């Protein structure tokens, strides 16, 4: 399938090169390796809804989300979908399939207008051979991601939809300590993220609202009782381990 055409922008390229050079994992690279790492990428701007790659496609290179957000959506043969992960910049994307030599296991769709850099497979492999820090950096990122995936699987199996939804809201509230939390996306997207149906998500939100923990206004959620919400989510109080 044809991908959405990006909008090339010189300022985007300069901005992404700056982000690439200051990205913490890139500290493992040598000065010459870092210089080549930054120069080899090609940057573009993408709007919400643009697709970077499709599930089942062969990887043509690796992506680096400089800013914005991209969701990975996996579909089965029946049309059901699940949001596997949401990537917020700065972060690598698509490198696992490229290293493994396997097709992409999910579709990457932009959910917040994004600046994204692309490194084609030939340059990626040349950089891999040139700079010893690249394999170490990639291995560390993949290991961290594997740990996160294992934790997510455990939560899917051990916690109810209401608990998982409470966790999502509580964590968003903790990361941006303000009264109102915006749940990015529709109820369908929330359902795909939690591995359930939109109807179940609506019932869970209504139950949390009935208990006086939150107030819902469209995609905005006002947190009324943070401590009780974290208790419902099975999370410790803020400040506790």
């Amino acid at each position: 399938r044809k991908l959405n055409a990006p909008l090339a922008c010189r300022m985007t390229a300069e901005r992404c090169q700056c982000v690439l050079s200051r990205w913490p994992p890139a500290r493992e690279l040598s000065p010459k390796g870092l210089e080549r790492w930054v120069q080899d990428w090609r940057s573009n701007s993408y709007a919400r809804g643009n697709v970077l790659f499709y599930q089942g496609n062969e990887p043509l290179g690796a992506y680096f989300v400089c800013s914005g957000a991209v969701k990975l959506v996996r579909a089965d043969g029946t049309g059901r979908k699940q949001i596997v992960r949401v990537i917020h910049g700065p972060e690598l994307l698509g490198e696992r399939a490229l290293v493994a030599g396997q097709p992409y296991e999910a579709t990457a769709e932009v959910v917040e207008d994004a600046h994204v850099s692309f490194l084609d497979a030939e340059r990626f492999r040349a950089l891999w051979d040139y700079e010893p820090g690249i394999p170490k950096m990639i291995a560390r990122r993949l290991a961290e991601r594997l740990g996160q995936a294992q934790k997510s699987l455990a939560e899917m199996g051990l916690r109810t939809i209401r608990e998982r939804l409470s966790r999502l809201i509580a964590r968003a509230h903790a990361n941006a300590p303000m009264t109102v939390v915006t749940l990015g996306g529709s109820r369908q997207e929330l359902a795909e993220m939690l591995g359930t149906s939109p109807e179940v998500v609506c019932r869970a939100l209504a139950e949390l609202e009935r208990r006086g923990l939150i107030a819902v206004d469209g995609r905005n959620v006002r947190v009324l009782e943070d401590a009780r919400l974290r208790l419902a989510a099975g999370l410790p109080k803020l400040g506790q381990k």
Side-chain angles (χ1 to χ4, degrees):
R1 284 174 284 182
K2 186 177 179 180
L3 302 180
N4 300 97
L7 175 65
C9 174
R10 180 181 176 184
M11 289 304 296
T12 296
E14 293 174 354
R15 177 176 180 176
C16 284
Q17 284 180 339
C18 181
V19 175
L20 277 160
S21 65
R22 296 181 180 180
W23 187 46
R27 295 170 185 165
E28 299 189 39
L29 309 184
S30 68
K32 288 186 177 180
L34 178 61
E35 182 180 359
R36 186 164 172 178
W37 160 264
V38 172
Q39 291 178 346
D40 281 349
W41 296 79
R42 298 295 178 266
S43 304
N44 289 292
S45 295
Y46 292 85
R48 175 181 170 86
N50 285 174
V51 173
L52 301 181
F53 55 79
Y54 287 97
Q55 179 179 337
N57 281 7
E58 295 295 326
L60 300 178
Y63 297 82
F64 184 84
V65 182
C66 301
S67 63
V70 177
K71 66 178 180 180
L72 291 177
V73 183
R74 184 176 298 162
D76 63 13
T78 66
R80 291 180 299 181
K81 297 180 180 180
Q82 181 180 8
I83 296 178
V84 180
R85 189 160 56 97
V86 178
I87 297 93
H88 296 271
E91 185 59 277
L92 274 174
L93 172 64
E95 79 284 5
R96 190 212 64 80
L98 185 59
V99 172
Q102 298 175 343
Y104 293 118
E105 294 187 348
T107 295
E109 180 182 335
V110 176
V111 290
E112 294 177 8
D113 290 358
H115 291 157
V116 181
S117 291
F118 176 76
L119 183 64
D120 65 72
E122 183 178 353
R123 286 189 173 89
F124 179 89
R125 296 189 181 99
L127 185 59
W128 180 285
D129 293 335
Y130 175 81
E131 170 56 47
I134 292 291
K136 295 178 182 178
M137 181 183 73
I138 298 295
R140 187 186 303 276
R141 300 304 293 167
L142 291 177
E144 291 172 352
R145 207 168 290 166
L146 177 60
Q148 293 168 358
Q150 290 174 335
K151 185 180 294 185
S152 296
L153 282 173
E155 285 196 4
M156 291 280 284
L158 298 175
R159 301 195 179 277
T160 65
I161 297 297
R162 189 178 64 191
E163 287 175 318
R164 278 147 48 195
L165 180 60
S166 299
R167 285 189 162 223
L168 188 152
I169 298 171
R171 285 169 174 165
H173 187 246
N175 290 334
M178 56 185 69
T179 306
V180 177
V181 171
T182 300
L183 299 179
S186 63
R187 295 292 184 261
Q188 178 65 43
E189 289 176 316
L190 271 178
E192 291 171 0
M193 189 178 300
L194 296 172
T196 185
S197 67
E199 293 77 15
V200 173
V201 169
C202 290
R203 287 199 296 268
L205 283 170
E207 173 63 15
L208 293 175
E209 190 170 30
R210 186 189 65 78
R211 294 173 59 186
L213 307 184
I214 62 173
V216 181
D217 181 15
R219 295 183 182 181
N220 295 326
V221 174
R222 183 179 297 276
V223 177
L224 303 177
E225 294 282 351
D226 182 70
R228 290 177 58 209
L229 179 65
R230 295 183 68 85
L231 181 63
L235 293 171
K237 293 182 180 179
L238 288 177
Q240 294 182 351
K241 295 184 178 180

